Amino acid sequence: MTGFDRALSEVDGEAAVAVVLGLIADGADPLAVLVDVVAAGQRRVGERWQRGEWSVAREHAATGVSVLATEAIARHAERVPVTRGRVLVACAEREWHLLPALVISTAMRLHGWDTVLLGASTSPARLSQYLQDVGPDATAVSCSVLGALPTTRRFVEASTTAGVPILVGGSAFGPDDRRAVALGATAWAPDAHGAVALLDHLPAVVPKAVPLRGDRFVEQAAVELGHNRLVEVLRGRWSATTSGGAPSFDAACGEALHQAVHAVSAALLTGDPRPIPDTAWWIDRLLTARGADSRLVAELGAVLALAVRDFPEAHALVVGHWPGGLLVPEGERAS
Amino acid sequence: MDGEVTPIAVRAATDARSERELLARARLHVELTATLSGSLNLRRTVLRLLDLITPSIADWAVLALVDNSGGVVLHGGHDQAFTTALSRVVIEGTGMDRVLRSGQDELLHVAVELDSTDGLDTMIPHRRLRDEAAGLRPADVLSLALTTRGTTIGALVMVRGAGRGFPDLDVELAGVIAAQASIALDSARLYEERGRVASVLQASLRPPDLPLVPGARVSARFRPADERMDIAGDFYDIHGSGDDWLLVLGDVCGKGVEAAVLTGRARQSIRTAAYFDRRPSVVLAALNHVLCEVHSSRFVTVVCARFRPAADGLSAEVDVSVAGHPAPILVRADGTVDQVEVAGIVAGVIADASYTDVRVTMRSGDTMLMFTDGVDEARGSDGFYGMERLLALLPSYAGAGPMALCEAVEQDVVEYLDGRAHDDIALLAVSCGT
């Protein structure tokens, strides 16, 4: 276990800060420390939660330690003179993972950009206010959860209406630029290094994003609006949530339901079906790590397909892309 | 020439154009208006204007905007982001000066001879930019006065190279763009000037950066009801030094700017009162007295805690006093959750109100959470968020530290709201031990 992992595990902020500042004092590239130590350590934190080794609270506490370490690097980055323009770094609504945005902002600052970081879960109205007040050269949006993609699209509209290029990245965009292009973003970056490299090549002014029109988007809006109702319907029909289990298992199942509905919404919004199988496999790992049977995931696919049967596009996406065949639950057989 | 195309020329041009062309012009006009009105930021508006003009209308363009001292700021050239300021003295007597003073457009032709830069000299009083433009000879230089709301606010200097010239139709189009741009630039400037006043005033009312408290960790979250603002009627503060700290969190009745101004007064009164006596009950009594004296119809609720860590850092004595505010919650390291039993009347209503201190002992890993009613009174589809939900959430965050605790509460409350409007939300948490 590395010193940084130990600090995360023991929730020792001072030790984590000492590790990263020590590496930088020894001549390590601060951006490399940010990406290879802090971001990598944080990824292992997420994996520990997913494997059921750590509770949500423990994951949050460890994340707090990563934030402290990143802030220490950010303070170090303040010494770098500003030689380039200004970037507004933001997280869309429902994106509570501030750390990736903080990492991106710090990486850009280290490269001579002046950055303004808005907090977690920011509304489009707040972003717009900052676009007018700051007049940035670019907007950078970090999106790690599928549920934040719809507001990220609003961010694209806000930014491009002001003519400001918008760079997006984060795990919710998947392994390529397909979703980013679908949302009308100016550019997509696979990681912090890529984001910094792209900044130098963004156009000064971009045209307003093309409006999204069509059945897919009408359905997406309806699924988004009915999100909580859909989750409740699923909760009442999925055997994992109707039979009752340990509180931590119930919490994981609740999270799975939200993610499943967000995946449908993300697939409708971007025209990329991959969020659906990706989310199914993610739920599979989440539940099997907590002792559940993989058949629960197949069953969830069937329950989900039934719940969205009034939305033809959404229904086709679930039926066509939820893996493992569809196990139709007893008494819910669709005609 | 004077920019306005004569009626005869307009008629002739109109005859020559097909309806399709007219429609295309109308579309361009709408697009122009939308494009230039999309931003209220002066710099962004300048960039959009330059982007709109080059290369479709001119090969090269510079925008000159008059500044407050009578000089100009130049923007553009080959690098659209280039900007430089020229003093009044530098531009006096130049062609650019003439355009700015008279508000009349000018069209010049610059021949190809190497020493013939007279026209460029006079219209572009800046060496680097002039050299860029000279590279386009033989060139035509169109200088448009940007006049709006009765004032000429700047000039747009456009250059076309290789003898392509500016036909009447293009001059007309450039005039339309200049007219739209003038309004957009002037509006952006007004917005920026107002914004500067607001941001200076706002800076003093913004929540403070948290100090490092030895033997403790502190964290805070702040989410104004109006998410476009950084100030609100909720406030928090930490002051002190060494082993004696005062943590304050409060809520002024009302929202927005008016409430924020009162938070500034309340924060200052508390800081001054604490200078004389650091007991929370005495600080709140002093605040109450001051607020009652100013006969304001507004009242303030406050929770005030004096945090004194022991020398070994393993425990802390905390005296808590409240004025009409929800009492803080203690989240013990073992997951026990209790609300401190303390009460007191709101400040600013009854002049001789008195307050009491309640002492609690915090041990290493314990966290005290202070919050405003934007938390428990957040309205979701199931009614209020409520204290029960808050108290049920906290035990699993025992020992996770103040940052994780504040984030968890903020996230849970905002997710509960599910996009609904909310009151100001402020959270302040302190954990004993490092």
Side-chain angles (χ1 to χ4, degrees):
Chain A
M1 187 188 271
T2 67
F4 192 75
D5 283 336
R6 195 174 310 116
L8 291 179
S9 170
E10 290 168 5
V11 193
D12 189 340
E14 276 181 37
V17 169
V19 168
V20 296
L21 291 185
L23 288 168
I24 292 170
D26 290 344
D29 172 25
L31 182 54
V33 175
L34 202 54
V35 172
D36 302 334
V37 178
V38 181
Q42 186 58 30
R43 241 186 332 272
R44 289 191 287 275
V45 169
E47 287 161 8
R48 286 181 138 181
W49 170 76
Q50 207 194 13
R51 288 199 300 265
E53 294 168 20
W54 281 8
S55 67
V56 172
R58 186 146 183 215
E59 184 207 7
H60 275 228
T63 306
V65 172
S66 291
V67 168
L68 289 176
T70 309
E71 284 172 347
I73 302 176
R75 278 194 296 277
H76 175 85
E78 283 304 314
R79 294 181 214 161
V80 176
V82 173
T83 50
R84 291 175 160 87
R86 189 179 278 184
V87 186
L88 200 54
V89 185
C91 298
E93 273 168 351
R94 290 220 185 89
E95 179 57 84
W96 292 96
H97 300 94
L98 183 61
L99 187 66
L102 186 58
V103 167
I104 290 291
S105 161
T106 307
M108 290 172 173
R109 187 66 196 77
L110 282 166
H111 205 59
W113 292 87
D114 185 14
T115 58
V116 177
L117 176 63
L118 305 182
S121 194
T122 298
S123 67
R126 182 169 160 83
L127 179 80
S128 283
Q129 183 71 47
Y130 272 81
L131 282 166
Q132 309 305 345
D133 289 349
V134 173
D137 295 278
T139 305
V141 180
S142 159
C143 191
S144 55
V145 293
L146 294 172
L149 285 176
T151 316
T152 300
R153 163 64 195 183
R154 301 283 182 131
F155 276 23
V156 168
E157 289 168 15
S159 192
T160 59
T161 300
V164 179
I166 178 165
L167 169 67
V168 299
S171 45
F173 283 98
D176 52 42
D177 68 358
R178 180 167 173 186
R179 285 169 226 173
V181 169
L183 293 191
T186 313
W188 166 81
D191 52 29
H193 291 292
V196 171
L198 271 170
L199 276 186
D200 288 325
H201 305 289
L202 292 176
V205 178
V206 294
K208 192 176 163 188
V210 180
L212 304 179
R213 292 210 178 90
D215 292 346
R216 259 201 297 127
F217 306 109
V218 174
E219 285 193 21
Q220 189 274 327
V223 169
E224 172 99 355
L225 199 63
H227 179 95
N228 285 337
R229 196 183 43 78
L230 269 172
V231 166
E232 285 320 306
V233 167
L234 297 175
R235 203 189 294 277
R237 290 180 183 167
W238 188 29
S239 65
T241 40
T242 51
S243 54
S248 68
F249 184 71
D250 283 347
C253 289
E255 188 62 29
L257 292 179
H258 282 286
Q259 290 306 322
V261 177
H262 284 318
V264 173
S265 184
L268 287 169
L269 182 68
T270 62
D272 179 359
R274 289 173 296 174
I276 290 176
D278 288 353
T279 299
W281 292 123
W282 180 85
I283 293 172
D284 187 58
R285 285 194 297 277
L286 188 71
L287 298 189
T288 51
R290 286 157 178 80
D293 194 302
S294 274
R295 274 178 300 181
L296 278 181
V297 182
E299 184 203 333
L300 177 57
V303 170
L304 182 60
L306 195 65
V308 297
R309 66 187 180 280
D310 292 338
F311 304 113
E313 301 261 359
H315 186 261
L317 279 165
V318 176
V319 171
H321 297 278
W322 192 277
L326 296 183
L327 195 76
V328 181
E330 285 298 312
E332 296 275 5
R333 225 163 271 276
S335 54
Chain B
M1 65 166 286
D2 70 0
E4 294 296 316
V5 177
T6 65
I8 294 166
V10 170
R11 208 176 306 132
T14 307
D15 291 342
R17 269 177 259 158
S18 68
E19 258 180 60
R20 187 190 294 269
E21 273 178 326
L22 278 174
L23 196 62
R25 294 292 296 262
R27 278 214 192 95
L28 180 67
H29 198 156
V30 170
E31 196 184 319
L32 255 171
T33 311
T35 302
L36 285 171
S37 60
S39 177
L40 278 172
N41 182 276
L42 186 58
R43 195 177 150 268
R44 292 302 318 179
T45 307
V46 168
L47 282 173
R48 300 192 94 167
L49 174 62
L50 293 169
D51 186 66
L52 208 58
I53 290 168
T54 50
S56 58
I57 296 166
D59 299 320
W60 185 94
V62 153
L63 176 68
L65 288 176
V66 179
D67 67 16
N68 291 335
S69 59
V72 298
V73 178
L74 299 184
H75 301 269
H78 282 322
D79 174 10
Q80 289 185 350
F82 177 75
T83 174
T84 185
L86 302 181
S87 70
R88 172 80 239 158
V89 182
V90 174
I91 59 161
E92 205 142 68
T94 62
M96 177 176 279
D97 191 30
R98 201 163 57 235
V99 172
L100 291 172
R101 279 168 184 263
S102 67
Q104 297 297 311
D105 305 337
E106 296 193 17
L107 182 60
L108 298 169
H109 181 75
V110 183
V112 78
E113 290 78 35
L114 281 178
D115 56 347
S116 159
T117 53
D118 291 359
L120 295 176
D121 270 342
T122 194
M123 274 309 163
I124 309 166
H126 183 270
R127 187 181 206 135
R128 168 179 156 178
L129 293 173
R130 188 167 53 235
D131 289 348
E132 284 181 11
L136 297 166
R137 283 174 304 178
D140 291 273
V141 184
L142 176 62
S143 302
L144 297 176
L146 301 177
T147 304
T148 184
R149 296 167 181 142
T151 306
T152 300
I153 60 163
L156 181 59
V157 182
M158 290 180 278
V159 177
R160 266 189 177 184
R164 289 198 294 130
F166 283 98
D168 283 355
L169 268 181
D170 290 345
V171 172
E172 191 192 343
L173 177 61
V176 171
I177 293 179
Q180 292 288 346
S182 304
I183 298 173
L185 290 167
D186 195 46
S187 300
R189 178 143 65 179
L190 282 172
Y191 179 85
E192 195 161 288
E193 277 163 13
R194 284 302 147 104
R196 201 172 301 137
V197 174
S199 70
V200 169
L201 293 176
Q202 196 169 293
S204 64
L205 299 173
R206 212 171 269 160
D209 289 336
L210 298 180
L212 288 172
V213 178
R217 283 173 294 157
V218 288
S219 192
R221 305 295 283 185
F222 185 69
R223 194 170 268 267
D226 182 346
E227 300 210 340
R228 291 167 304 173
M229 307 247 296
D230 288 331
I231 56 173
D234 282 8
F235 64 97
Y236 59 81
D237 234 336
I238 300 185
H239 28 87
S241 61
D243 58 359
D244 191 352
W245 295 84
L246 211 60
L247 288 81
V248 184
L249 175 128
D251 179 0
V252 169
C253 76
K255 280 185 232 177
V257 182
E258 291 85 352
V261 169
L262 193 55
T263 66
R265 210 181 293 160
R267 277 171 63 186
Q268 202 50 50
S269 302
I270 289 168
R271 189 175 278 269
T272 308
Y275 181 76
F276 295 101
D277 192 325
R278 299 185 65 78
R279 283 174 293 172
S281 58
V282 178
V283 169
L284 292 185
L287 171 70
N288 177 57
H289 224 89
V290 172
L291 290 175
C292 285
E293 269 179 6
V294 294
H295 300 296
S296 166
S297 57
R298 288 173 183 269
F299 53 87
V300 180
T301 74
V302 189
V303 51
C304 185
R306 186 184 192 184
F307 182 89
R308 284 179 294 176
D312 60 8
L314 295 176
S315 66
E317 293 293 318
V318 187
D319 293 328
V320 182
S321 190
V322 298
H325 198 91
I329 298 172
L330 266 174
V331 184
R332 300 289 186 184
D334 66 2
T336 316
V337 169
D338 284 311
Q339 197 161 11
V340 178
E341 287 192 19
V342 58
I345 189 170
V346 291
V349 176
I350 298 172
D352 57 354
S354 65
Y355 297 90
T356 47
D357 290 315
V358 168
R359 175 163 297 185
V360 292
T361 303
M362 287 174 67
R363 308 213 174 272
S364 194
D366 291 353
T367 302
M368 179 183 275
L369 174 70
M370 303 173 169
F371 58 97
T372 55
D373 60 10
V375 172
D376 53 305
E377 291 178 11
R379 244 182 210 284
S381 55
D382 292 344
F384 287 131
Y385 180 80
M387 284 303 295
E388 273 181 36
R389 223 179 289 258
L390 179 61
L391 293 169
L393 173 74
L394 296 174
S396 57
Y397 290 89
M403 190 192 289
L405 192 77
C406 287
E407 273 178 9
V409 173
E410 187 197 18
Q411 180 174 350
D412 206 51
V413 170
V414 173
E415 295 287 335
Y416 179 79
L417 284 161
D418 193 25
R420 289 175 187 80
H422 60 87
D423 198 355
D424 301 328
I425 294 172
L427 299 163
L428 177 62
V430 56
S431 290
C432 181
T434 52

